[in-house]
Amino acid sequence: MTGFNDTTSNWPIFSFIGIPGLEAAQIWISIPFCLLYLLALVGNVVLLVLVKEEQNLHEPQFYFLAMLAFTDLGLSLSTMPSVLAIFWFDIRHIGLDACLTQMFFIHTLSSVESGVLVAMAFDRLVAICAPLNYTRILTHYTVACLSGAALIRGATLMAPLPFFLRIFPFCGANILSHSYCYYPDMLNLACGDVTFSSVYGLVFVLCTFAVDVVFILASYMKILGTVMTLGSQDRNWKSLHTCACHLCTVLVFYMPLISLAVLHRYSRDTSPILYTTMSNAYLLMTPLLNPLVYSLKSRQIQAALRKRFWVQRVIAGE
């Protein structure tokens, strides 16, 4: 299907794409997508339940993990309707307001997740570089302030972007290159001078993801410098091991983000199948892999899972 638009109307319609060349097989392709979304939802809900119910997880690093899981749930629920609607029902059209709403939540939650990763880096920085002051610095109030700041920053910086797009006419076919509404993608379809909106989008990226990456790198440089001054090699390893989950989560989040940015830059030379697959993986793999990383790497999460599983077995046996 192709998109359509009445140039005299204030309500343009946009069209999503599936996976080019594989339209006949999209019902089969929907099966793994559906399973991956289900695993992502279940995994993040389990993390939220564990942090809420297990007393030994009532620590700052796990409160941040709960915030991360909550954000991942939001990202999954933001993209799942349009992605599965394409594969299951071949529904490819979306109105402007619905598209702007989806775009707002996707970009805001991505910014919030980046901010939470910064807060988690700060948590590890204090835990390793100032362990005696950890409980004094990382209080419940501090955790709430850092989480709230990430949310407010993302929503505040993102809020003007939908209004910028509403003032532009859309006078082409309006075919989106993703299975969801993405700001650079929509901006490319707008008619008129989009210079200011494009610059603001760049400012948004610099004030969120770029600043966050710099802070995370600086934090780990400080952590590495502190660990190297410790006397025991075994102690060095134990200190770095506490950062393993966070480092994996950072890579899981930023690698697809960078890959998608590169694909946007060189999309003309990229295979359509690779392009659409990467664009879907960008917002699906992070919510899917984060619970898996913490389940495999965090001993406290593993202990909580074993405890819950054992209790359930006892109850079932009774």
Side-chain angles (χ1 to χ4, degrees):
M1 294 184 185
T2 60
F4 62 87
N5 183 46
D6 182 354
T7 56
T8 64
S9 173
N10 292 324
W11 305 103
I13 301 296
F14 298 89
S15 292
F16 295 122
I17 62 171
I19 300 181
L22 298 178
E23 288 81 3
Q26 65 184 18
I27 190 63
W28 298 106
I29 297 173
S30 71
I31 296 175
F33 270 94
C34 185
L35 290 175
L36 291 176
Y37 271 115
L38 181 62
L39 289 173
L41 294 175
V42 170
N44 285 289
V45 168
V46 168
L47 282 181
L48 286 171
V49 171
L50 288 177
V51 174
K52 179 179 182 296
E53 299 294 334
E54 295 297 323
Q55 191 66 35
N56 64 328
L57 297 182
H58 291 179
E59 300 177 5
Q61 62 174 318
F62 296 111
Y63 291 143
F64 290 132
L65 175 60
M67 183 69 176
L68 195 71
F70 184 79
T71 305
D72 283 337
L73 274 176
L75 282 172
S76 294
L77 294 173
S78 296
T79 59
M80 184 171 62
S82 59
V83 172
L84 295 186
I86 293 171
F87 290 133
W88 282 355
F89 308 110
D90 200 31
I91 298 175
R92 297 170 182 263
H93 295 315
I94 186 172
L96 177 62
D97 286 340
C99 198
L100 292 176
T101 300
Q102 185 187 48
M103 181 200 75
F104 174 81
F105 279 106
I106 288 174
H107 287 284
T108 298
L109 290 170
S110 295
S111 174
V112 171
E113 179 146 350
S114 183
V116 172
L117 290 176
V118 171
M120 296 173 82
F122 179 69
D123 171 82
R124 293 299 84 203
L125 177 67
V126 176
I128 293 176
C129 300
L132 298 179
N133 295 321
Y134 182 82
T135 56
R136 182 177 63 83
I137 297 174
L138 268 299
T139 62
H140 288 80
Y141 178 76
T142 305
V143 172
C145 286
L146 291 174
S147 301
L151 179 60
I152 292 171
R153 181 193 67 170
T156 302
L157 290 177
M158 182 61 202
L161 295 183
F163 295 100
F164 291 161
L165 287 173
R166 281 191 66 87
I167 66 175
F168 293 116
F170 292 88
C171 46
N174 294 340
I175 301 177
L176 299 167
S177 57
H178 299 287
S179 300
Y180 48 83
C181 298
Y182 194 58
Y183 181 73
D185 205 15
M186 296 185 69
L187 195 62
N188 287 337
L189 299 176
C191 301
D193 186 3
V194 298
T195 302
F196 178 79
S197 299
S198 180
V199 170
Y200 186 87
L202 177 61
V203 171
F204 173 80
V205 171
L206 293 177
C207 290
T208 52
F209 304 112
V211 171
D212 292 348
V213 167
V214 170
F215 187 88
I216 292 172
L217 289 175
S219 298
Y220 274 99
M221 289 177 64
K222 177 64 175 176
I223 289 172
L224 188 60
T226 301
V227 168
M228 291 297 102
T229 62
L230 299 177
S232 170
Q233 289 296 322
D234 184 56
R235 189 179 174 188
N236 290 355
W237 169 249
K238 288 181 179 179
S239 298
L240 287 176
H241 186 266
T242 64
C243 302
C245 293
H246 180 252
L247 283 171
C248 291
T249 304
V250 169
L251 291 175
V252 165
F253 178 74
Y254 282 107
M255 289 303 293
L257 180 67
I258 295 172
S259 299
L260 186 62
V262 172
L263 285 178
H264 258 287
R265 175 66 179 82
Y266 300 103
S267 58
R268 293 180 180 177
D269 303 321
T270 304
S271 165
I273 293 179
L274 175 63
Y275 187 71
T276 53
T277 301
M278 283 298 301
S279 67
N280 285 320
Y282 162 53
L283 294 177
L284 176 58
M285 298 312 293
T286 300
L288 175 67
L289 292 178
N290 281 344
L292 182 62
V293 166
Y294 275 88
S295 297
L296 294 176
K297 290 288 186 180
S298 173
R299 295 172 183 173
Q300 294 97 320
I301 296 294
Q302 290 174 4
L305 286 171
R306 284 195 297 267
K307 177 183 176 182
R308 284 279 159 178
F309 180 70
W310 181 80
V311 169
Q312 292 298 324
R313 289 186 62 182
V314 170
I315 294 174
E318 294 176 352

